[in-house]
């Protein structure tokens, strides 16, 4: 009787092996990749997205702690789960409370980011550079006249400069040393050279938008697009575009029924349209997913209803399969947030509901309150963070969304049936090989089915000592 082995040798395939037994079929799964330690020495409360750097590792920040006197950390984690704290922020000459993702420069390979409070003595935010070894240099200290309280990530323009936003916000004035001076209390849009020369491109007026929380996205048309949390014609936030020279256009003002208060930035779809979320408003006042054209025509795609999530604070990200993947910060089965997929046709499927930290003693928890955008990396899977959960102190987690179907085998005599669950029209092909001796000869299984959503089965007669199967695109 032949030996049947379900295997994978490329990063988009499933790594599962079975020897003449039936393995249950699983759909796409979410698993905890890293939990920030309970003692907070490695940082806590990550709210920034992960990025995959040119060295293959994932980099980001966590906004709190990081050791004695720590006010946040920058870290990297390998795809094998090896975590390294690169630096602990202290406000002395680096920054404090980094809320957002890093961006790796195409100029020098270093990473650039913003911190909310920045450095002493002003504590109004800063822009910093950090090397892969963890050496931090503060490039710009915001002082009120050039903006304050940045919370969004930077984006590098075609000209090599960095572009971003400051949130402003009159509610924060007077809390920190020196109070708030200057005219940028509604927020601003800026440009910074790699050397740290900052130019304010736009001073928001409130009526055209106020308090941008997220950073900008560079469209293929060369313009930058973004959102403001409040302001606009109705006070519920806006979508805008801005050129690299500072020409600003308010594209859309939310009215509440179509969404309110976009916390996240935007994603550019392969069709040239932009996609985003609002954390409030919509049919149920629990947030929305929307599509907007580059010219400003907006369509509400989803109104969250709590059962499928609520309060989304991350933008949906388009995967290689054409679908959009994202999170909600609340709602779902346990009220602790969800991971979802949105098909191009507008169908939303909840892939996972976080359980949060309300667990019986001794049982590990999976995290809660995901706020950052997901990122799809070279292994084909998505990675994200949760701001809370993961430990008794709610220090937060990093999680992985594995998109690959799990294979199932059943052998009767010399007839083997291979099964898997196909979702979202990804369109995997089943291949087989009789040997793993290099060079491996993988061939399409001749009676492979037409790939459509649902459980796919293939039955063939096998001979020989062993047969190897894999899924491929």
């Amino acid at each position: 009787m032949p030996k049947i082995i379900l295997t994978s040798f490329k990063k988009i395939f499933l790594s599962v092996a079975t020897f003449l037994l039936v393995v249950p079929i699983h759909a796409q799964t979410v698993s905890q990749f890293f939990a920030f330690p309970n003692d907070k020495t490695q940082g806590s409360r990550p709210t920034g997205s992960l990025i995959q750097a040119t060295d293959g590792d994932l980099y980001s920040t966590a906004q709190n702690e990081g050791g004695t006197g720590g006010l946040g950390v920058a870290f990297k984690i390998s795809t094998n789960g090896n975590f390294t704290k690169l630096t602990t922020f202290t406000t002395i000459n680096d920054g404090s409370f980094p809320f957002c993702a890093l961006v790796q420069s195409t100029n020098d390979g270093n990473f650039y980011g913003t911190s909310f409070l920045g450095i002493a003595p002003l504590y109004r935010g800063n822009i910093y550079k950090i090397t892969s070894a963890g050496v931090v240099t503060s490039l710009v200290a915001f002082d009120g006249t050039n903006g304050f309280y940045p919370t969004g990530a930077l984006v590098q323009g075609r000209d090599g400069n960095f572009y971003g936003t400051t949130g402003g916000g009159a509610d924060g004035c007077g809390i920190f040393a020196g109070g708030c001076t200057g005219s940028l209390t509604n927020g601003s849009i800026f440009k910074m050279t790699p050397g740290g020369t900052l130019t304010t491109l736009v001073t928001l007026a409130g009526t055209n938008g106020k308090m941008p929380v997220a950073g900008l996205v560079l469209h293929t048309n060369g313009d930058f697009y973004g959102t403001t949390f409040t302001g606009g014609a109705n006070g519920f936030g806006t979508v805008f575009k801005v050129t690299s020279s500072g020409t600003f256009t308010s594209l859309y003002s939310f009215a509440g029924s179509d969404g309110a208060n976009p916390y996240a930035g935007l994603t550019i779809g392969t069709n040239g349209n932009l996609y985003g979320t609002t954390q409030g408003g919509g049919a149920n006042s629990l947030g929305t997913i929307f599509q907007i054209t580059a010219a400003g025509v907006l369509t509400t795609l989803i109104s969250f209803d709590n059962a499928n999530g609520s309060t989304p604070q991350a933008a949906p990200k388009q995967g290689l399969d054409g679908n959009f993947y994202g999170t909600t910060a609340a709602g779902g089965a346990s009220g602790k947030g969800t991971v979802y997929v949105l098909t191009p046709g507008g169908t939303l499927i909840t892939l996972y509901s976080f359980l949060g930290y309300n667990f019986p003693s001794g049982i590990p928890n999976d995290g809660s309150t995901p706020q950052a955008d997901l990122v799809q990396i070279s292994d084909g899977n998505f990675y994200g963070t949760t701001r809370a959960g993961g430990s008794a102190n709610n220090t937060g987690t990093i999680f992985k969304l594995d998109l690959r179907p799990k294979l199932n085998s059943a052998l009767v005599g010399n007839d083997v049936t291979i099964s898997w669950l196909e979702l979202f029209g990804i369109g995997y092909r089943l291949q087989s090989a009789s040997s793993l001796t290099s060079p491996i000869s993988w061939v399409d299984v001749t009676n492979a089915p037409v790939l459509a959503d649902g459980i796919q089965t293939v039955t063939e007669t096998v001979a020989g000592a062993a047969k190897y199967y894999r899924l491929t695109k």
Side-chain angles (χ1 to χ4, degrees):
M1 181 176 288
K3 180 188 296 182
I4 305 301
I5 301 176
L6 310 183
T7 187
S8 68
F9 292 89
K10 293 186 179 178
K11 53 197 171 189
I12 66 169
F13 307 143
L14 173 67
S15 294
V16 167
T18 180
F19 297 85
L20 308 184
L21 51 84
V22 176
V23 177
I25 295 176
H26 297 83
Q28 286 71 9
T29 58
V30 170
S31 59
Q32 186 181 104
F33 192 61
F34 178 81
F36 286 87
N38 199 49
D39 63 9
K40 304 180 182 180
T41 56
Q42 304 303 305
S44 68
R45 300 299 182 101
T47 55
S49 301
L50 299 160
I51 65 165
Q52 187 171 34
T54 52
D55 63 5
D57 291 337
L58 303 174
Y59 288 74
S60 192
T61 62
Q63 68 180 31
N64 286 343
E65 279 82 31
T68 303
L71 297 172
V73 305
F75 66 84
K76 71 175 180 178
I77 186 169
S78 71
T79 54
N80 293 325
N82 296 320
F83 182 93
T84 303
K85 182 176 68 174
L86 297 174
T87 192
T88 297
F89 291 94
T90 61
T91 78
I92 297 173
N93 57 9
D94 45 15
S96 54
F97 300 113
F99 286 169
C100 65
L102 301 169
V103 60
Q104 187 173 27
S105 171
T106 58
N107 299 327
D108 58 15
N110 292 316
F111 301 89
Y112 293 75
T114 66
S115 77
F116 180 67
L117 288 188
I119 60 177
L122 296 176
Y123 302 111
R124 292 175 187 153
N126 77 322
I127 304 173
Y128 60 87
K129 174 177 72 175
I130 181 171
T131 69
S132 58
V135 178
V136 182
T137 304
S138 180
L139 299 174
V140 173
F142 289 103
D143 60 12
T145 63
N146 60 358
F148 49 92
Y149 304 152
T151 54
L154 302 171
V155 61
Q156 191 168 21
R158 294 177 177 176
D159 57 6
N161 295 316
F162 297 93
Y163 294 79
T165 63
T166 67
D171 291 343
C173 291
I175 295 177
F176 304 105
C180 297
T181 61
S183 60
L184 305 182
T185 56
N186 293 314
S188 68
I189 302 169
F190 61 81
K191 173 178 72 175
M192 186 195 73
T193 68
T197 300
L198 187 135
T199 303
T200 300
L201 298 176
V202 177
T203 299
L204 293 170
T207 54
N208 62 355
K210 179 178 181 178
M211 201 183 303
V213 175
L216 306 171
V217 63
L218 177 61
H219 198 283
T220 54
N221 64 16
D223 294 331
F224 298 92
Y225 289 75
T227 62
T228 67
F229 185 72
T230 62
N234 307 300
F236 292 115
T238 69
V239 178
F240 65 83
K241 75 173 180 179
V242 61
T243 68
S244 58
S245 61
T247 301
F248 180 91
T249 305
S250 182
L251 295 175
Y252 194 83
S253 288
F254 289 97
S257 59
D258 55 359
N261 306 123
Y263 189 94
L266 300 166
T267 293
I268 303 169
T270 55
N271 59 5
N273 293 327
L274 299 114
Y275 295 80
T277 61
T278 64
Q279 74 165 28
N284 305 300
S285 299
L286 295 173
T288 69
I289 304 174
F290 63 85
Q291 170 191 276
I292 187 168
T293 68
V297 179
L298 186 137
T299 303
T300 302
L301 301 175
I302 297 292
S303 285
F304 287 98
D305 61 11
N306 198 56
N308 62 3
S310 70
T311 323
Q313 296 182 332
K317 302 303 254 186
Q318 192 167 27
L320 296 175
D321 59 9
N323 297 300
F324 293 87
Y325 294 82
T327 63
T328 65
S334 300
K336 305 298 184 181
T338 68
V339 179
Y340 66 80
V341 60
L342 176 69
T343 68
T347 299
L348 186 134
I349 301 170
T350 301
L351 298 176
Y352 189 78
S353 288
F354 288 96
L355 298 174
Y357 53 85
N358 293 324
F359 275 78
S361 176
I363 299 178
N365 68 76
D366 58 351
S368 68
T369 322
Q371 289 184 271
D373 296 352
L374 299 176
V375 59
Q376 189 173 30
I377 70 168
S378 57
D379 66 4
N381 298 313
F382 281 92
Y383 292 76
T385 61
T386 66
R387 185 177 63 84
S391 76
N393 282 333
N394 289 316
T395 46
T397 72
I398 300 171
F399 65 88
K400 178 172 74 171
L401 168 61
D402 192 335
L403 297 181
R404 300 166 297 179
K406 302 331 186 224
L407 288 174
N408 172 357
S409 71
L411 188 67
V412 179
N414 282 345
D415 291 334
V416 62
T417 298
I418 307 295
S419 304
W420 69 95
L421 180 61
E422 178 78 25
L423 289 177
F424 318 131
I426 294 176
Y428 291 99
R429 301 194 324 272
L430 183 67
Q431 293 184 325
S432 66
S434 297
S435 171
L436 297 184
T437 301
S438 181
I440 304 172
S441 178
W442 291 103
V443 295
D444 289 341
V445 176
T446 55
N447 58 341
V450 175
L451 296 182
D453 286 356
I455 295 177
Q456 307 299 313
T457 61
V458 174
T459 301
E460 67 169 355
T461 300
V462 296
K467 195 75 174 278
Y468 302 85
Y469 290 89
R470 71 177 187 180
L471 291 175
T472 183
K473 283 284 292 174

